[in-house]
Amino acid sequence: MYINGRWTPAHNGATFPTVEPSTGSTITEVPRGNAVDIDAAVRAAERAAVSWQFTDAVARAAMLRRLAELVTENADELASIEAMDSGHYLAKARELVAALPLWLEYWAGAADKIGGRTIAVPGNKLSFTLLEPLGVTAHIIPWNYPLLILIRSVAPALALGNTCVVKPAEDTSLSALKFAELVHEAGLPDGVFNVVTGYGEEAGAALAAHPGVRGITFTGSTETGREVARLGGQHIAQVNLELGGKSPLVVFPDAALDDAVEVAVQGFCSRAGQVCVAGSRLFLHEEIADRFLEMLVARLEMAEVGDPFDENTQMGPLASKKHYDRVREYIEIGKQEARLLYGGGRPSQTARGGFFVEPTVFVDVPKDARIAREEIFGPVTAVMRWSSVDDLIATINDSEYGLFAVLWCQDITNALDTAKRLQVGAVMINDWFGELPMAPHGGHKQSGVGREEGLEAVHGYTQVKHIGINLDRSLAKSTDWAGAPL
Ligand code: NDP
């Protein structure tokens, strides 16, 4: 682990294995940190926060830019680690790692441009706000995009003067540890960035509950997010939650079908469906539904599922055995609730110990089926037909989730009218989700609170201080507050 600028085992020497999901074999042992190690990391981050918050924003930005360069220089190794440890196929992992410096550069650029505002109070006074860092921020990371999700939250936190303690997911600790090596090389002071590996119920819960933590950013399941918010609430930490989804992908009768089919496949097969914005509910207008499904099946027959290190692979395994079992269980539930059109099994050409699942399409899915309402987080989609826009919107909004939606529609008035009425945090029209540092990302309802990315993320890593000055130099002259009802 990386605490206070030093490499350290867990205080009691405990470790746990991290497993390669494409083979099921152990890669290495990782320290099993617990509350004692978390306490050491938070205390180091508290000490470092005193000077980091007053370090010139320009100097903080320079370190983030150096870090961005180091990510680029180490891109091959970082991509291989993600492919081996999380099952992300190598070609995609390389694309993703190549994009990561954008997040560090965006927030390096923002560091000296974010500020408060002046306020037009009555009287001869000056009134303004300062945006100040929170102090120690906790970052609890999931296993689907380990490095992206780490960088997208620590980049604004650090740029805005906070210090960080990161708890990676137990299945995917390795890229966070490699990133810590780069942080060290970039010259960030000791204690500004710390990584404690371990289990969620031990290290993660201890981090969320630590009274020294002033802000928590969590990405993962709604259930765990609720627990993290409860733990953070006990010491009134500011909490950002980016949680689950059951995102709709809607195809209108006038849609460009070739593109819509491609995006539908991306929607539920990208990262083997382990994406918060996965388009796991596919709503097809009845006029084009039959043709669309024929095209979808033809496209899926060409999908290459297999070894993440094979250059032809387009979809790798699920990230862990536990998650594989969960997705397989949902497929069995789906067989009871709807008609299996495609997939449902294990791709024959994949390694025996690996956690592979075929792209799976269920049709004739009732809108109250579990596979139509619950987040599966695997390469599984539930197809429903629609004819009335009002019914469509009512069905989509009748969900505890509200993260994201895709509309495939040429008529821009129809598209915008629908977008306006959906209870979700983002809508893409004739496009697929491309996560970017400058566009806000987050959910409505049980999909979360707060925003990652975009200038909206500033609120998650700062607090407001109001400063007022009486410019009259004499209280006697200042009459405007005298009549205030106190
Ligand atoms: P979790 O939400 O439980 O895990 C996310 C992170 O939280 C991990 O670092 C985990 O650690 C940590 N954690 C777990 N329990 C606690 C706790 N009590 N206190 C603090 N931190 C904790 O997700 P799972 O890995 O269990 O996946 C379950 C489901 O969550 C998936 O099937 C999917 O539906 C959803 N999910 C959604 C994601 C998204 O992007 N929105 C990402 C990942 C999952 P550890 O790994 O050690 O358990």
Side-chain angles (χ1 to χ4, degrees):
M1 304 188 293
Y2 183 72
I3 298 177
N4 202 23
R6 287 177 194 81
W7 293 101
T8 173
H11 78 283
N12 58 5
T15 62
F16 64 97
T18 190
V19 168
E20 181 169 13
S22 57
T23 60
S25 55
T26 298
I27 305 170
T28 185
E29 292 282 323
V30 175
R32 180 175 162 183
N34 67 16
V36 174
D37 305 287
I38 287 289
D39 186 57
V42 174
R43 288 189 189 288
E46 274 180 318
R47 287 193 299 275
V50 177
S51 54
W52 182 247
Q53 68 166 321
F54 295 119
T55 300
D56 283 350
V58 174
R60 290 199 301 259
M63 286 182 240
L64 289 184
R65 289 201 181 92
R66 178 67 192 127
L67 192 50
E69 285 169 6
L70 289 167
V71 168
T72 302
E73 285 166 24
N74 289 272
D76 279 349
E77 190 180 348
L78 289 167
S80 299
I81 291 171
E82 289 292 67
M84 183 183 287
D85 200 18
S86 81
H88 214 145
Y89 68 90
L90 187 60
K92 200 41 133 193
R94 282 195 183 123
E95 269 178 38
L96 191 71
V97 170
L100 294 179
L102 282 180
W103 275 260
L104 294 159
E105 284 157 7
Y106 178 83
W107 288 105
D112 60 357
K113 298 173 191 66
I114 303 294
R117 65 186 181 100
T118 51
I119 304 164
V121 294
N124 186 21
K125 297 181 178 190
L126 192 58
S127 180
F128 60 94
T129 60
L130 300 176
L131 278 191
E132 298 185 336
L134 299 173
V136 179
T137 54
H139 304 258
I140 302 177
I141 311 294
W143 39 262
N144 53 342
Y145 290 92
L147 201 50
L148 166 69
I149 292 175
L150 187 161
I151 290 180
R152 80 179 183 191
S153 71
V154 300
L158 294 170
L160 297 169
N162 301 279
T163 56
C164 302
V165 179
V166 173
K167 205 301 276 179
E170 68 193 57
D171 293 316
T172 55
S173 306
L174 301 183
S175 57
L177 294 171
K178 178 66 192 175
F179 184 73
E181 214 178 285
L182 305 182
V183 167
H184 195 84
E185 203 179 329
L188 274 81
D190 293 350
V192 166
F193 177 87
N194 307 274
V195 179
V196 178
T197 51
Y199 294 143
E201 305 76 38
E202 294 175 3
L207 180 58
H210 199 296
V213 166
R214 305 292 172 199
I216 304 174
T217 298
F218 169 86
T219 304
S221 63
T222 297
E223 193 187 344
T224 305
R226 213 172 273 132
E227 172 63 3
V228 165
R230 190 187 69 76
L231 294 170
Q234 288 177 352
H235 55 102
I236 318 294
Q238 185 163 309
V239 182
N240 299 313
L241 302 172
E242 205 265 88
L243 307 174
K246 191 73 188 173
S247 298
L249 196 151
V250 182
V251 186
F252 283 70
D254 65 349
L257 289 195
D258 286 336
D259 285 350
V261 167
E262 192 55 40
V263 164
V265 173
Q266 291 291 327
F268 76 99
C269 295
S270 180
R271 188 67 183 100
Q274 303 164 112
V275 186
C276 56
V277 295
S280 54
R281 288 192 285 169
L282 180 54
F283 291 94
L284 302 179
H285 191 273
E286 61 184 12
E287 278 176 27
I288 48 85
D290 290 337
R291 202 160 130 238
F292 190 97
L293 289 172
E294 270 171 36
M295 292 167 73
L296 181 68
V297 167
R299 172 65 184 84
L300 289 174
E301 269 160 6
M302 297 185 323
E304 299 277 350
V305 184
D307 178 0
F309 286 91
D310 183 329
E311 294 289 341
N312 296 320
T313 294
Q314 297 168 332
M315 190 175 108
L318 297 173
S320 67
K321 172 78 168 65
K322 179 178 130 198
H323 190 55
Y324 171 81
D325 290 341
R326 184 171 184 268
V327 172
R328 297 239 31 112
E329 200 180 313
Y330 268 110
I331 290 175
E332 291 313 310
I333 293 169
K335 287 177 184 167
Q336 307 300 317
E337 293 182 321
R339 182 162 68 83
L340 179 67
L341 177 73
Y342 188 86
R346 190 192 157 76
S348 51
Q349 71 283 12
T350 51
R352 241 186 324 137
F355 313 134
F356 295 93
V357 172
E358 277 183 313
T360 298
V361 181
F362 287 103
V363 292
D364 304 334
V365 181
K367 62 184 179 187
D368 57 352
R370 286 185 63 190
I371 59 163
R373 301 188 73 83
E374 297 175 17
E375 183 176 52
I376 299 175
F377 226 59
V380 181
T381 192
V383 179
M384 288 166 268
R385 293 173 189 242
W386 67 278
S387 53
S388 138
V389 175
D390 289 343
D391 292 348
L392 168 80
I393 291 170
T395 305
I396 291 174
N397 286 343
D398 178 23
S399 168
E400 62 173 4
Y401 295 118
L403 189 58
F404 178 69
V406 172
L407 307 179
W408 221 267
C409 180
Q410 297 290 332
D411 182 324
I412 196 65
T413 309
N414 275 344
L416 289 178
D417 182 51
T418 308
K420 198 174 144 195
R421 294 164 66 192
L422 293 179
Q423 297 164 350
V424 295
V427 181
M428 293 296 121
I429 298 170
N430 298 333
D431 202 4
W432 172 232
F433 181 74
E435 189 156 359
L436 291 166
M438 59 291 280
H441 176 47
H444 293 192
K445 301 196 273 189
Q446 311 252 332
S447 289
V449 288
R451 289 293 176 272
E452 292 289 309
E453 299 156 333
L455 291 178
E456 289 77 2
V458 168
H459 302 298
Y461 300 102
T462 54
Q463 54 193 335
V464 175
K465 182 180 282 171
H466 172 216
I467 296 187
I469 314 165
N470 177 359
L471 299 175
D472 280 337
R473 295 177 189 271
S474 151
L475 201 54
K477 286 195 205 164
S478 185
T479 52
D480 53 275
W481 55 268
L486 282 182

